[in-house]
Amino acid sequence: MDAANRFESRTTYRLLRGEYLAGLLISAWLLIAHWDEVRWPVAVGLFLYIDVIGYIPGALAHRRAKGGPVQRVYYVLYNTMHSWLTAGAVVGLWAWLFGWEWALLAVPLHLCGDRGLLGNFLKPFSVPFEPAPHPAFTAFEASVNSGGQAPVSPAGAARDEQPRQPAGSRG
């Protein structure tokens, strides 16, 4: 939402996903429009490397942990491979070594699909590797959605005091 309130409401989250869906549709349309010019083995490889390195190891660790914690390295791998910075570096390096080609659209297709279709963004260490509601966030979201305006301290505990009004203003 903003630098002081790093969360999304249901509406802003849906709007953000909608933007990524637009990117997915544009990437898919360009791939289809240039179907005969795409080197498909390259496109498939570029689409898959992100999850082969960044998701599958963490998903396997999550399943082995049976609800227990997963080592942070899996979060780092996921976030690194699903980062637009890494994607840009991979696409740029590929283009520098082999030249620009339509198969490179597989990278934004993957990232836009993850965000737009699946709603998966970068993973903080404080949540399970696989999506599951965090009780504190569920309570916070319910408070925000019900119009609760209680200020929240940096530690996350609601304060009993009311926000101060500027001098000379009416409440």
Side-chain angles (χ1 to χ4, degrees), residues 59-135:
L60 293 173
H62 176 81
R63 283 168 183 75
R64 282 192 307 267
K66 297 180 182 172
V70 173
Q71 293 179 358
R72 287 182 173 212
V73 67
Y74 297 112
Y75 291 83
V76 172
L77 283 171
Y78 181 91
N79 291 341
T80 300
M81 300 315 298
H82 287 83
S83 164
W84 283 103
L85 296 175
T86 303
V90 168
V91 168
L93 182 62
W94 186 278
W96 181 60
L97 294 173
F98 306 108
W100 290 101
E101 59 180 298
W102 292 109
L104 293 170
L105 284 169
V107 174
L109 185 81
H110 183 120
L111 295 181
C112 288
D114 277 357
R115 288 164 171 80
L117 290 176
L118 304 176
N120 293 330
F121 291 79
L122 301 181
K123 296 181 181 291
F125 296 135
S126 58
V127 298
F129 188 83
E130 292 290 356
H134 191 287

Side-chain angles (χ1 to χ4, degrees), residues 145-165:
N145 289 337
S146 69
Q149 298 296 318
V152 177
S153 72
R159 292 184 274 165
D160 293 328
E161 66 189 43
Q162 294 297 317
R164 292 185 187 177
Q165 300 269 337

Side-chain angles (χ1 to χ4, degrees), residues 23-90:
L24 173 69
L25 292 174
I26 292 166
S27 298
W29 178 78
L30 286 168
L31 274 172
I32 291 167
H34 297 279
W35 186 269
D36 294 337
E37 301 170 66
V38 175
R39 289 195 306 150
W40 288 102
V42 171
V44 169
L46 287 168
F47 186 89
L48 292 177
Y49 88 90
I50 296 168
D51 281 345
V52 168
I53 298 169
Y55 171 69
I56 294 172
L60 293 173
H62 176 81
R63 283 168 183 75
R64 282 192 307 267
K66 297 180 182 172
V70 173
Q71 293 179 358
R72 287 182 173 212
V73 67
Y74 297 112
Y75 291 83
V76 172
L77 283 171
Y78 181 91
N79 291 341
T80 300
M81 300 315 298
H82 287 83
S83 164
W84 283 103
L85 296 175
T86 303
V90 168

